[in-house]
């Protein structure tokens, strides 16, 4: 009977917190047992059951794809959590830069030059001179290139340069600080996936390491938007899981000022509001706020890019970026998988194939807002034409779906834990090698 009570209470915990207008479940320790207080059928009656052993979830129970209990105080990071997030972010950045330095030396290149390759030069130019710099060598009007990049990240870098910090140093500092926030968001999200991970630092630390050490994570220490965009998206998803609608709206708006792919987060926000926030005015207010920076920037850019068809016209002309329902992606992956002799192409194919497989494997294992965002992101990236070998970078936020697997592994039996941490370490090293190879050896854009 005692086991039956534990099963009933655990399934109640998983099924009722997502309803509206109900108080949270409370647990109180009494002697060597627990007192459980919850809801009756009417939502106002209390049920109290005393058991002699702690309540533990069934081993086969998976997370429900819904929202966490609102205002989850047990899952706040605290000073210790932020210290761990800082250590993970800084140690990872140092490792990847050292790996890049080794590759730079082996290929007679300069680490500084590698850190400022490709899109980094546009972000630095915008940070220093705005969208109409006169010292950026491009083939055509300079704003046809610079206006492809949203203003959130470069303007934040410019704000740091006002303190007297050189632009490149400011950009790297902003990216690493954003990586700290990204690591913290991964930890907060892990805490919301299972009740037993709320204060389990091993699960949270592993989540932070895996999310911030993915292949191409070197851009988290470069003048690129990936760290800032990832941090804003993950914290917006945490806010959505907690039903903090206005905070989620503000974070989504900040992401919308950073990258066009914020449309995927806005779409996930809209579906979440329709499913869980239809009767809450804060939910609708947050949703209305979320796309405003994106809409405003596109309107401003279109006013200056009329001669090339607006914002999307310049994307098509200079980056060959357009929506074709995945035809180009399928053709490219097939061609490279059957004929390519370039490791960079094959590694890019691996990332393209792995992303939808991971999405399918995590169905009903993460909260709906998280799964919907990643699904929209993957669809946006893979159903479009463009620079295919930039896909590993564009798909970086999808790594968040690995959190339930890695957190479960590092909190399992001792033998499993040892193997799991070895796998995490291998992931970190592989990500550093992948990043350095794609920047220092691979000759095309990332």
């Amino acid at each position: 009977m005692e086991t039956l009570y534990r099963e009933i209470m655990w399934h109640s915990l998983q099924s009722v917190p997502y309803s509206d207008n109900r108080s949270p479940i409370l647990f109180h320790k009494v002697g060597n047992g627990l007192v459980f207080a919850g809801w009756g059928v009417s939502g106002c009656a209390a049920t109290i059951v005393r058991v002699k052993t702690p309540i533990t979830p069934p081993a086969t129970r998976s997370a429900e794809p819904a929202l966490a209990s609102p205002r989850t105080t047990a899952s706040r990071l605290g000073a210790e959590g932020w210290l761990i997030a800082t250590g993970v972010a800084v140690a990872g950045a140092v490792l990847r830069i050292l790996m890049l330095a080794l590759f730079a030396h082996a290929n007679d290149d300069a680490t500084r030059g590698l850190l400022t390759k490709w899109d980094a030069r546009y972000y630095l130019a915008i940070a220093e001179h705005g969208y109409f710099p006169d010292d950026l060598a491009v083939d055509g009007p300079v704003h046809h290139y610079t206006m492809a990049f949203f203003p959130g990240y470069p303007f934040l870098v410019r704000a740091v340069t006002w303190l007297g910090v050189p632009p490149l140093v400011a950009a790297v500092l902003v990216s690493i600080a954003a990586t700290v926030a990204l690591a913290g968001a991964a930890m907060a999200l892990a805490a919301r996936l299972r009740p037993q991970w709320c204060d389990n630092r091993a699960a949270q630390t592993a989540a932070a390491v895996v999310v911030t050490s993915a292949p191409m994570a070197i851009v988290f220490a470069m003048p690129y938007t990936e760290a800032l965009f990832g941090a804003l998206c993950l914290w917006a998803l945490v806010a959505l899981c907690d039903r903090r609608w206005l905070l989620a709206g503000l974070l989504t708006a900040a992401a919308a000022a950073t990258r066009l792919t914020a449309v995927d987060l806005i779409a996930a926000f809209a579906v979440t509001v329709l499913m869980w926030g239809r009767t809450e005015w804060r939910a609708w207010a947050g949703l209305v706020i979320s796309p405003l920076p994106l809409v405003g920037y596109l309107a401003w850019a279109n006013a200056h890019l009329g001669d090339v068809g607006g914002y999307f016209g310049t994307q098509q002309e200079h980056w060959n970026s357009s929506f074709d329902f995945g035809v180009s992606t399928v053709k490219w992956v097939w061609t490279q998988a059957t004929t390519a002799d370039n490791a960079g192409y094959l590694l890019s194919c691996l990332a393209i194939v792995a992303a939808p497989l991971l999405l399918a494997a995590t169905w009903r294992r993460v909260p709906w807002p998280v799964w919907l965002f990643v699904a929209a992101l993957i669809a946006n990236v893979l159903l479009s034409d463009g620079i295919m070998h930039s896909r590993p970078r564009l798909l970086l936020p999808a790594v968040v779906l690995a959190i339930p697997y890695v957190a479960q592994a590092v909190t399992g039996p001792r033998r499993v834990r040892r193997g799991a941490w070895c796998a995490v370490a291998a992931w970190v090293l592989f990500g550093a090698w992948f990043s350095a190879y794609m920047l220092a050896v691979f000759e095309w854009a990332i």
Side-chain angles (χ1 to χ4, degrees):
M1 180 62 71
E2 180 179 297
T3 301
L4 177 60
Y5 280 152
R6 289 202 300 272
E7 288 284 320
I8 291 173
M9 286 187 288
W10 172 251
H11 286 284
S12 297
L13 174 62
Q14 292 293 293
S15 59
V16 297
Y18 315 129
S19 301
D20 295 325
N21 302 320
R22 294 182 176 181
S23 302
I25 290 175
L26 301 175
F27 290 95
H28 298 286
K29 185 173 179 61
V30 178
N32 62 349
L34 291 170
V35 171
F36 167 82
W39 303 283
V41 175
S42 66
C44 58
T47 301
I48 300 178
V49 179
R50 181 170 181 172
V51 296
K52 294 183 179 180
T53 57
I55 299 170
T56 56
T60 59
R61 183 68 176 175
S62 62
E64 294 292 337
L67 304 183
S69 299
R71 312 299 193 266
T72 309
T73 57
S75 53
R76 291 176 180 171
L77 291 182
E80 180 187 10
W82 281 112
L83 184 62
I84 293 172
T86 302
V88 168
V90 173
V94 170
L95 172 64
R96 287 184 287 275
I97 291 174
L98 287 177
M99 182 74 75
L100 184 64
L102 290 176
F103 272 68
H105 178 74
N107 290 275
D108 295 323
D109 211 332
T111 304
R112 179 189 176 94
L114 294 176
L115 288 173
T116 56
K117 286 182 71 174
W118 309 119
D119 291 351
R121 70 190 187 108
Y122 294 109
Y123 285 117
L124 289 174
I126 296 169
E128 290 187 74
H129 308 293
Y131 279 94
F132 300 90
D134 55 8
D135 59 348
L136 189 61
V138 294
D139 184 17
V142 66
H143 67 283
H144 286 187
Y145 293 83
T146 56
M147 287 188 180
F149 303 94
F150 275 55
Y153 175 79
F155 284 7
L156 185 58
V157 172
R158 175 182 289 189
V160 177
T161 63
W162 293 340
L163 302 176
V165 181
L168 177 57
V169 176
V172 172
L173 289 176
V174 168
S175 292
I176 293 178
T179 308
V180 174
L182 176 62
M187 295 174 70
L189 190 58
R192 285 156 173 78
L193 294 182
R194 303 286 191 280
Q196 63 268 34
W197 296 342
C198 278
D199 53 4
N200 189 308
R201 291 305 187 196
Q204 296 173 19
T205 301
V209 172
V210 167
V211 169
T212 59
S213 300
M216 282 315 302
I218 185 62
V219 293
F220 293 160
M222 293 175 63
Y224 268 77
T225 62
E226 269 65 27
L228 179 62
F229 180 72
L232 291 169
C233 286
L234 261 64
W235 277 113
L237 293 171
V238 169
L240 283 177
C241 290
D242 289 351
R243 286 176 281 178
R244 298 180 177 177
W245 305 112
L246 292 178
L247 177 60
L250 292 173
L251 290 168
T252 303
T258 306
R259 290 188 68 90
L260 178 63
T261 43
V263 296
D264 307 319
L265 181 60
I266 296 169
F269 196 157
V271 175
T272 303
V273 170
L274 289 173
M275 295 178 69
W276 288 282
R278 292 189 302 271
T279 61
E280 299 189 38
W281 70 266
R282 289 182 178 85
W284 292 105
L287 182 59
V288 170
I289 292 169
S290 62
L292 294 181
L294 185 147
V295 173
Y297 178 72
L298 289 181
W300 179 79
N302 286 335
H304 290 84
L305 297 171
D307 53 337
V308 289
Y311 177 86
F312 296 101
T314 198
Q315 287 279 0
Q316 171 68 38
E317 179 173 339
H318 299 296
W319 281 270
N320 193 34
S321 179
S322 62
F323 195 82
D324 68 350
F325 296 95
V327 174
S328 298
T329 300
V330 172
K331 289 181 178 179
W332 189 85
V333 169
W334 173 255
T335 300
Q336 303 309 322
T338 55
T339 64
D341 56 1
N342 187 306
Y345 290 151
L346 294 175
L347 289 170
S348 299
C349 285
L350 178 63
I352 290 172
V353 173
L357 293 178
L358 181 60
L359 180 69
T362 51
W363 171 257
R364 295 185 63 83
R365 294 187 66 90
V366 295
W368 267 118
V370 178
W371 196 90
L372 289 170
F373 163 67
V374 177
L377 176 74
I378 292 174
N380 193 351
V381 172
L382 300 190
L383 299 183
S384 300
D385 194 3
I387 301 174
M388 294 296 169
H389 28 82
S390 68
R391 298 304 193 247
R393 172 175 62 84
L394 298 177
L395 290 169
L396 278 171
V399 181
V400 70
L401 294 181
I403 289 179
Y405 292 103
V406 67
Q408 184 172 358
V410 299
T411 56
R414 179 176 298 179
R415 184 178 301 177
V416 175
R417 291 201 303 268
R418 291 175 179 174
W421 282 113
C422 289
V424 169
W427 172 259
V428 172
L429 293 175
F430 174 70
W433 171 83
F434 187 111
S435 299
Y437 179 88
M438 293 297 285
L439 268 181
V441 180
F442 188 64
E443 60 182 325
W444 304 108
I446 61 167

Short mmCIF file of all heavy atoms in Angstrom, two decimals, residues 39-84:
data_model
loop_
_atom_site.label_atom_id
_atom_site.label_comp_id
_atom_site.label_asym_id
_atom_site.label_seq_id
_atom_site.Cartn_x
_atom_site.Cartn_y
_atom_site.Cartn_z
N TRP A 39 -4.12 18.93 -4.22
CA TRP A 39 -5.45 19.41 -4.55
C TRP A 39 -6.45 18.27 -4.57
O TRP A 39 -6.13 17.15 -4.96
CB TRP A 39 -5.47 20.06 -5.93
CG TRP A 39 -4.50 21.17 -6.07
CD1 TRP A 39 -4.61 22.43 -5.60
CD2 TRP A 39 -3.24 21.11 -6.73
NE1 TRP A 39 -3.52 23.17 -5.93
CE2 TRP A 39 -2.65 22.38 -6.63
CE3 TRP A 39 -2.54 20.09 -7.41
CZ2 TRP A 39 -1.43 22.68 -7.17
CZ3 TRP A 39 -1.32 20.39 -7.95
CH2 TRP A 39 -0.77 21.68 -7.81
N GLY A 40 -7.66 18.57 -4.24
CA GLY A 40 -8.74 17.62 -4.48
C GLY A 40 -9.30 17.86 -5.86
O GLY A 40 -8.78 18.67 -6.63
N VAL A 41 -10.37 17.19 -6.21
CA VAL A 41 -10.94 17.32 -7.53
C VAL A 41 -11.41 18.74 -7.80
O VAL A 41 -11.31 19.26 -8.89
CB VAL A 41 -12.12 16.32 -7.70
CG1 VAL A 41 -12.80 16.52 -9.04
CG2 VAL A 41 -11.62 14.90 -7.54
N SER A 42 -11.94 19.38 -6.77
CA SER A 42 -12.48 20.73 -6.96
C SER A 42 -11.41 21.79 -7.06
O SER A 42 -11.68 22.92 -7.41
CB SER A 42 -13.40 21.08 -5.79
OG SER A 42 -12.66 21.16 -4.58
N GLY A 43 -10.16 21.44 -6.73
CA GLY A 43 -9.08 22.42 -6.80
C GLY A 43 -8.89 23.17 -5.50
O GLY A 43 -7.99 23.97 -5.39
N CYS A 44 -9.72 22.92 -4.47
CA CYS A 44 -9.55 23.67 -3.23
C CYS A 44 -9.43 22.75 -2.02
O CYS A 44 -8.95 23.15 -0.99
CB CYS A 44 -10.71 24.64 -3.03
SG CYS A 44 -12.32 23.83 -3.00
N ALA A 45 -9.85 21.50 -2.16
CA ALA A 45 -9.73 20.58 -1.04
C ALA A 45 -8.31 20.04 -0.96
O ALA A 45 -7.63 19.94 -1.96
CB ALA A 45 -10.72 19.42 -1.21
N ALA A 46 -7.86 19.68 0.22
CA ALA A 46 -6.50 19.19 0.40
C ALA A 46 -6.51 17.71 0.70
O ALA A 46 -7.42 17.20 1.34
CB ALA A 46 -5.81 19.95 1.55
N THR A 47 -5.51 17.03 0.21
CA THR A 47 -5.33 15.61 0.47
C THR A 47 -4.01 15.42 1.18
O THR A 47 -2.98 15.89 0.70
CB THR A 47 -5.32 14.81 -0.84
OG1 THR A 47 -6.55 15.05 -1.52
CG2 THR A 47 -5.18 13.32 -0.57
N ILE A 48 -4.00 14.75 2.32
CA ILE A 48 -2.78 14.57 3.09
C ILE A 48 -2.53 13.07 3.25
O ILE A 48 -3.40 12.32 3.67
CB ILE A 48 -2.87 15.23 4.48
CG1 ILE A 48 -3.10 16.74 4.30
CG2 ILE A 48 -1.62 14.96 5.28
CD1 ILE A 48 -3.25 17.47 5.60
N VAL A 49 -1.35 12.66 2.87
CA VAL A 49 -0.98 11.26 2.97
C VAL A 49 0.38 11.20 3.64
O VAL A 49 1.27 11.97 3.28
CB VAL A 49 -0.90 10.60 1.57
CG1 VAL A 49 -0.49 9.15 1.70
CG2 VAL A 49 -2.25 10.72 0.87
N ARG A 50 0.57 10.30 4.57
CA ARG A 50 1.86 10.16 5.23
C ARG A 50 2.49 8.85 4.80
O ARG A 50 1.84 7.81 4.80
CB ARG A 50 1.72 10.19 6.74
CG ARG A 50 3.08 10.08 7.44
CD ARG A 50 3.01 10.35 8.91
NE ARG A 50 4.31 10.25 9.53
CZ ARG A 50 4.57 10.58 10.77
NH1 ARG A 50 3.61 11.06 11.55
NH2 ARG A 50 5.78 10.46 11.27
N VAL A 51 3.75 8.94 4.41
CA VAL A 51 4.48 7.73 4.04
C VAL A 51 5.75 7.67 4.87
O VAL A 51 6.23 8.67 5.38
CB VAL A 51 4.82 7.75 2.53
CG1 VAL A 51 3.56 7.71 1.70
CG2 VAL A 51 5.65 8.96 2.17
N LYS A 52 6.32 6.49 4.98
CA LYS A 52 7.49 6.31 5.84
C LYS A 52 8.81 6.45 5.08
O LYS A 52 9.86 6.46 5.68
CB LYS A 52 7.43 4.93 6.50
CG LYS A 52 6.26 4.79 7.47
CD LYS A 52 6.28 3.43 8.13
CE LYS A 52 5.12 3.30 9.13
NZ LYS A 52 5.11 1.98 9.80
N THR A 53 8.73 6.48 3.76
CA THR A 53 9.94 6.62 2.97
C THR A 53 9.78 7.75 2.00
O THR A 53 8.67 8.09 1.61
CB THR A 53 10.25 5.32 2.19
OG1 THR A 53 9.11 5.02 1.39
CG2 THR A 53 10.53 4.17 3.13
N PRO A 54 10.88 8.39 1.57
CA PRO A 54 10.77 9.50 0.64
C PRO A 54 10.11 9.07 -0.66
O PRO A 54 10.21 7.93 -1.09
CB PRO A 54 12.23 9.91 0.40
CG PRO A 54 12.97 9.37 1.56
CD PRO A 54 12.27 8.13 1.97
N ILE A 55 9.44 10.02 -1.28
CA ILE A 55 8.77 9.75 -2.54
C ILE A 55 9.80 9.84 -3.66
O ILE A 55 10.50 10.83 -3.80
CB ILE A 55 7.66 10.77 -2.79
CG1 ILE A 55 6.63 10.68 -1.68
CG2 ILE A 55 7.02 10.60 -4.15
CD1 ILE A 55 5.62 11.79 -1.69
N THR A 56 9.89 8.80 -4.47
CA THR A 56 10.80 8.80 -5.61
C THR A 56 10.01 8.45 -6.86
O THR A 56 9.07 7.67 -6.81
CB THR A 56 11.93 7.77 -5.43
OG1 THR A 56 11.34 6.48 -5.21
CG2 THR A 56 12.81 8.14 -4.26
N PRO A 57 10.38 9.01 -7.99
CA PRO A 57 9.64 8.73 -9.21
C PRO A 57 9.90 7.32 -9.71
O PRO A 57 10.97 6.77 -9.47
CB PRO A 57 10.20 9.76 -10.20
CG PRO A 57 11.57 10.03 -9.70
CD PRO A 57 11.50 9.93 -8.21
N PRO A 58 8.96 6.73 -10.40
CA PRO A 58 9.22 5.44 -11.03
C PRO A 58 10.37 5.56 -12.00
O PRO A 58 10.55 6.58 -12.66
CB PRO A 58 7.90 5.15 -11.77
CG PRO A 58 6.89 6.01 -11.11
CD PRO A 58 7.60 7.20 -10.61
N ALA A 59 11.15 4.50 -12.13
CA ALA A 59 12.37 4.55 -12.94
C ALA A 59 12.09 4.83 -14.40
O ALA A 59 12.90 5.40 -15.10
CB ALA A 59 13.13 3.23 -12.80
N THR A 60 10.92 4.44 -14.87
CA THR A 60 10.64 4.58 -16.30
C THR A 60 9.86 5.84 -16.61
O THR A 60 9.50 6.08 -17.75
CB THR A 60 9.82 3.38 -16.80
OG1 THR A 60 8.60 3.30 -16.04
CG2 THR A 60 10.61 2.09 -16.62
N ARG A 61 9.61 6.66 -15.62
CA ARG A 61 8.79 7.85 -15.85
C ARG A 61 9.59 8.90 -16.61
O ARG A 61 10.71 9.23 -16.23
CB ARG A 61 8.33 8.43 -14.51
CG ARG A 61 7.41 9.64 -14.64
CD ARG A 61 6.08 9.25 -15.24
NE ARG A 61 5.20 10.40 -15.27
CZ ARG A 61 4.00 10.38 -15.82
NH1 ARG A 61 3.55 9.27 -16.35
NH2 ARG A 61 3.25 11.46 -15.82
N SER A 62 9.07 9.44 -17.67
CA SER A 62 9.73 10.50 -18.43
C SER A 62 9.01 11.81 -18.19
O SER A 62 7.87 11.85 -17.78
CB SER A 62 9.75 10.17 -19.93
OG SER A 62 8.44 10.08 -20.43
N ALA A 63 9.72 12.89 -18.50
CA ALA A 63 9.15 14.21 -18.25
C ALA A 63 7.97 14.46 -19.17
O ALA A 63 7.97 14.07 -20.33
CB ALA A 63 10.22 15.29 -18.49
N GLU A 64 6.94 15.12 -18.64
CA GLU A 64 5.80 15.48 -19.47
C GLU A 64 6.14 16.71 -20.30
O GLU A 64 6.82 17.62 -19.83
CB GLU A 64 4.59 15.78 -18.57
CG GLU A 64 4.08 14.58 -17.82
CD GLU A 64 3.45 13.55 -18.74
OE1 GLU A 64 3.03 13.93 -19.85
OE2 GLU A 64 3.40 12.38 -18.37
N PRO A 65 5.67 16.79 -21.53
CA PRO A 65 5.98 17.92 -22.39
C PRO A 65 5.08 19.11 -22.09
O PRO A 65 4.30 19.53 -22.91
CB PRO A 65 5.71 17.37 -23.78
CG PRO A 65 4.62 16.39 -23.56
CD PRO A 65 4.87 15.79 -22.20
N ALA A 66 5.14 19.61 -20.89
CA ALA A 66 4.28 20.73 -20.51
C ALA A 66 5.10 21.77 -19.78
O ALA A 66 6.30 21.83 -19.91
CB ALA A 66 3.14 20.21 -19.65
N LEU A 67 4.45 22.57 -19.00
CA LEU A 67 5.14 23.65 -18.30
C LEU A 67 5.42 23.25 -16.87
O LEU A 67 4.71 22.46 -16.27
CB LEU A 67 4.27 24.91 -18.31
CG LEU A 67 3.83 25.42 -19.68
CD1 LEU A 67 3.04 26.70 -19.51
CD2 LEU A 67 5.00 25.63 -20.59
N ALA A 68 6.49 23.84 -16.32
CA ALA A 68 6.83 23.60 -14.93
C ALA A 68 5.86 24.36 -14.03
O ALA A 68 5.09 25.21 -14.47
CB ALA A 68 8.27 24.05 -14.65
N SER A 69 5.89 24.03 -12.73
CA SER A 69 5.09 24.81 -11.79
C SER A 69 5.58 26.24 -11.78
O SER A 69 6.77 26.50 -11.82
CB SER A 69 5.23 24.21 -10.38
OG SER A 69 4.77 22.89 -10.36
N PRO A 70 4.71 27.22 -11.78
CA PRO A 70 5.15 28.61 -11.82
C PRO A 70 5.93 29.00 -10.58
O PRO A 70 5.71 28.50 -9.50
CB PRO A 70 3.82 29.38 -11.92
CG PRO A 70 2.79 28.46 -11.37
CD PRO A 70 3.24 27.08 -11.69
N ARG A 71 6.88 29.93 -10.80
CA ARG A 71 7.69 30.48 -9.71
C ARG A 71 8.39 29.36 -8.93
O ARG A 71 8.25 29.21 -7.74
CB ARG A 71 6.84 31.31 -8.75
CG ARG A 71 5.91 32.32 -9.43
CD ARG A 71 6.71 33.34 -10.23
NE ARG A 71 5.85 34.45 -10.61
CZ ARG A 71 5.21 34.53 -11.77
NH1 ARG A 71 5.29 33.54 -12.64
NH2 ARG A 71 4.49 35.59 -12.06
N THR A 72 9.17 28.54 -9.65
CA THR A 72 9.82 27.40 -9.03
C THR A 72 11.06 27.86 -8.28
O THR A 72 12.13 28.01 -8.85
CB THR A 72 10.21 26.37 -10.09
OG1 THR A 72 9.06 26.09 -10.89
CG2 THR A 72 10.70 25.08 -9.47
N THR A 73 10.93 28.10 -7.00
CA THR A 73 12.04 28.63 -6.22
C THR A 73 13.14 27.61 -6.04
O THR A 73 14.31 27.97 -5.89
CB THR A 73 11.54 29.09 -4.84
OG1 THR A 73 10.92 27.98 -4.17
CG2 THR A 73 10.53 30.21 -4.98
N ALA A 74 12.80 26.31 -6.03
CA ALA A 74 13.81 25.29 -5.79
C ALA A 74 14.82 25.23 -6.92
O ALA A 74 15.90 24.68 -6.76
CB ALA A 74 13.15 23.92 -5.61
N SER A 75 14.47 25.74 -8.10
CA SER A 75 15.36 25.62 -9.25
C SER A 75 16.14 26.90 -9.54
O SER A 75 16.72 27.05 -10.60
CB SER A 75 14.54 25.22 -10.49
OG SER A 75 13.47 26.10 -10.67
N ARG A 76 16.16 27.85 -8.61
CA ARG A 76 17.00 29.02 -8.78
C ARG A 76 18.46 28.62 -8.64
O ARG A 76 18.82 27.80 -7.80
CB ARG A 76 16.63 30.07 -7.75
CG ARG A 76 15.24 30.69 -7.98
CD ARG A 76 14.88 31.66 -6.89
NE ARG A 76 13.56 32.24 -7.11
CZ ARG A 76 12.92 32.98 -6.22
NH1 ARG A 76 13.48 33.24 -5.05
NH2 ARG A 76 11.72 33.46 -6.50
N LEU A 77 19.31 29.26 -9.43
CA LEU A 77 20.72 28.86 -9.44
C LEU A 77 21.44 29.25 -8.17
O LEU A 77 22.20 28.47 -7.61
CB LEU A 77 21.42 29.48 -10.65
CG LEU A 77 21.01 28.95 -12.03
CD1 LEU A 77 21.84 29.64 -13.10
CD2 LEU A 77 21.17 27.45 -12.10
N GLY A 78 21.25 30.47 -7.72
CA GLY A 78 21.98 30.94 -6.56
C GLY A 78 23.43 31.25 -6.90
O GLY A 78 23.89 31.05 -8.03
N ALA A 79 24.18 31.72 -5.91
CA ALA A 79 25.58 32.10 -6.13
C ALA A 79 26.42 30.91 -6.57
O ALA A 79 27.27 31.03 -7.46
CB ALA A 79 26.15 32.71 -4.85
N GLU A 80 26.19 29.75 -5.96
CA GLU A 80 26.97 28.56 -6.33
C GLU A 80 26.72 28.17 -7.78
O GLU A 80 27.65 27.85 -8.53
CB GLU A 80 26.59 27.39 -5.41
CG GLU A 80 27.36 26.12 -5.74
CD GLU A 80 26.85 24.93 -4.95
OE1 GLU A 80 25.80 25.04 -4.29
OE2 GLU A 80 27.50 23.87 -5.00
N GLY A 81 25.46 28.22 -8.19
CA GLY A 81 25.14 27.88 -9.57
C GLY A 81 25.79 28.82 -10.57
O GLY A 81 26.33 28.37 -11.60
N TRP A 82 25.76 30.11 -10.29
CA TRP A 82 26.38 31.06 -11.21
C TRP A 82 27.90 30.92 -11.21
O TRP A 82 28.55 31.15 -12.24
CB TRP A 82 25.97 32.48 -10.85
CG TRP A 82 24.61 32.82 -11.35
CD1 TRP A 82 23.48 33.05 -10.63
CD2 TRP A 82 24.21 32.93 -12.73
NE1 TRP A 82 22.41 33.30 -11.45
CE2 TRP A 82 22.82 33.24 -12.74
CE3 TRP A 82 24.89 32.81 -13.94
CZ2 TRP A 82 22.11 33.43 -13.93
CZ3 TRP A 82 24.18 33.00 -15.12
CH2 TRP A 82 22.82 33.30 -15.11
N LEU A 83 28.47 30.53 -10.08
CA LEU A 83 29.91 30.28 -10.05
C LEU A 83 30.27 29.09 -10.94
O LEU A 83 31.26 29.13 -11.69
CB LEU A 83 30.36 30.01 -8.61
CG LEU A 83 31.87 29.83 -8.40
CD1 LEU A 83 32.61 31.10 -8.79
CD2 LEU A 83 32.16 29.48 -6.94
N ILE A 84 29.44 28.04 -10.90
CA ILE A 84 29.67 26.89 -11.77
C ILE A 84 29.51 27.29 -13.23
O ILE A 84 30.33 26.91 -14.09
CB ILE A 84 28.70 25.75 -11.40
CG1 ILE A 84 29.02 25.20 -10.02
CG2 ILE A 84 28.75 24.63 -12.45
CD1 ILE A 84 28.00 24.20 -9.51
#
